[in-house]
Amino acid sequence: MLYTENRQDKIEVTDEFVNKITEVCNFALKEENMDIPYQISLLFVDNSEIKEINNETRNIDRETDVLSFPMLDFEEGKVYKDIYVDFEFDETFKDGEELILGDMVLSLEKALEQSEEYGHSYEREVSYLVVHSILHLLGYDHMVDEDKVKMRAREEEILNKLDIRR
């Protein structure tokens, strides 16, 4: 289940928009072999609020596009689809039958700016950021070049399967 909260007033958030993001989440999770009920919280913010959260949580005093706060811990270099298929999760990580994957914070204002900068649709940019964040929740990272290449390829593969292209 995707839980959303809109804390910004610069860009309209419609039911159709939330449904599309939910579809992207469900598809990305399925592609990563996540076949159990899940829970993700997604907070829509503006640039000012994401800058504040980025500073508070990462000591980086600048705006960013998306932040991910995973609940699950993964060994370095390991991701959900490679090690947790058939893994039994401790009740600590569950809310009833739903596995709590974590939280995402998305600046819709930054997504719009980047869609214009990169010359593709707003829908494509938001979908990319959502897939990017989900992969972080599932253990992917991009701090070293090898991991970055792997993560970028996976993002594009998922988006292409959804027919969401640049």
Side-chain angles (χ1 to χ4, degrees):
M1 170 79 56
L2 180 67
Y3 296 95
T4 61
E5 181 181 343
N6 183 22
R7 278 204 214 158
Q8 57 82 50
D9 59 7
K10 294 185 167 61
I11 297 171
E12 183 181 15
V13 175
T14 64
D15 288 343
E16 182 181 345
F17 178 79
V18 171
N19 290 341
K20 180 63 177 177
I21 289 174
T22 302
E23 177 186 314
V24 169
C25 286
N26 288 337
F27 187 85
L29 290 166
K30 185 176 179 186
E31 285 293 303
E32 288 296 304
N33 300 323
M34 172 67 68
D35 60 356
I36 58 177
Y38 72 88
Q39 196 175 104
I40 295 173
S41 295
L42 173 54
L43 182 61
F44 300 120
V45 297
D46 58 22
N47 286 347
S48 170
E49 187 165 358
I50 206 162
K51 178 181 178 183
E52 187 178 310
I53 295 168
N54 201 21
N55 193 27
E56 288 173 7
T57 60
R58 300 173 64 219
N59 291 320
I60 299 174
D61 191 23
R62 71 175 191 267
E63 60 196 40
T64 189
D65 46 19
V66 68
L67 293 168
S68 309
F69 300 98
M71 284 294 293
L72 306 175
D73 289 325
F74 294 93
E75 293 176 42
E76 190 166 330
K78 301 287 184 181
V79 296
Y80 176 85
K81 78 174 195 166
D82 294 335
I83 59 174
Y84 286 113
V85 177
D86 301 329
F87 185 83
E88 200 58 40
F89 287 97
D90 181 296
E91 291 303 309
T92 306
F93 301 105
K94 288 189 160 186
D95 181 6
E97 291 300 309
E98 295 178 336
L99 179 62
I100 303 169
L101 295 178
D103 303 317
M104 301 186 294
V105 180
L106 175 60
S107 171
L108 297 180
E109 183 179 9
K110 181 60 101 176
L112 181 59
E113 291 169 5
Q114 289 178 174
S115 71
E116 292 167 355
E117 178 183 339
Y118 301 140
H120 54 241
S121 72
Y122 173 68
E123 177 186 329
R124 198 270 182 209
E125 186 64 19
V126 169
S127 296
Y128 166 78
L129 294 172
V130 167
V131 169
H132 178 86
S133 190
I134 283 176
L135 292 179
H136 275 309
L137 297 182
L138 297 178
Y140 286 80
D141 207 349
H142 49 78
M143 298 308 287
V144 298
D145 286 340
E146 181 182 336
D147 292 341
K148 184 177 185 174
V149 167
K150 182 179 178 183
M151 187 171 181
R152 294 293 183 258
R154 193 68 184 126
E155 291 162 352
E156 290 302 320
E157 184 178 343
I158 291 169
L159 290 169
N160 286 337
K161 285 183 177 182
L162 279 165
D163 199 27
I164 300 173
R165 302 178 193 280
R166 292 183 187 263

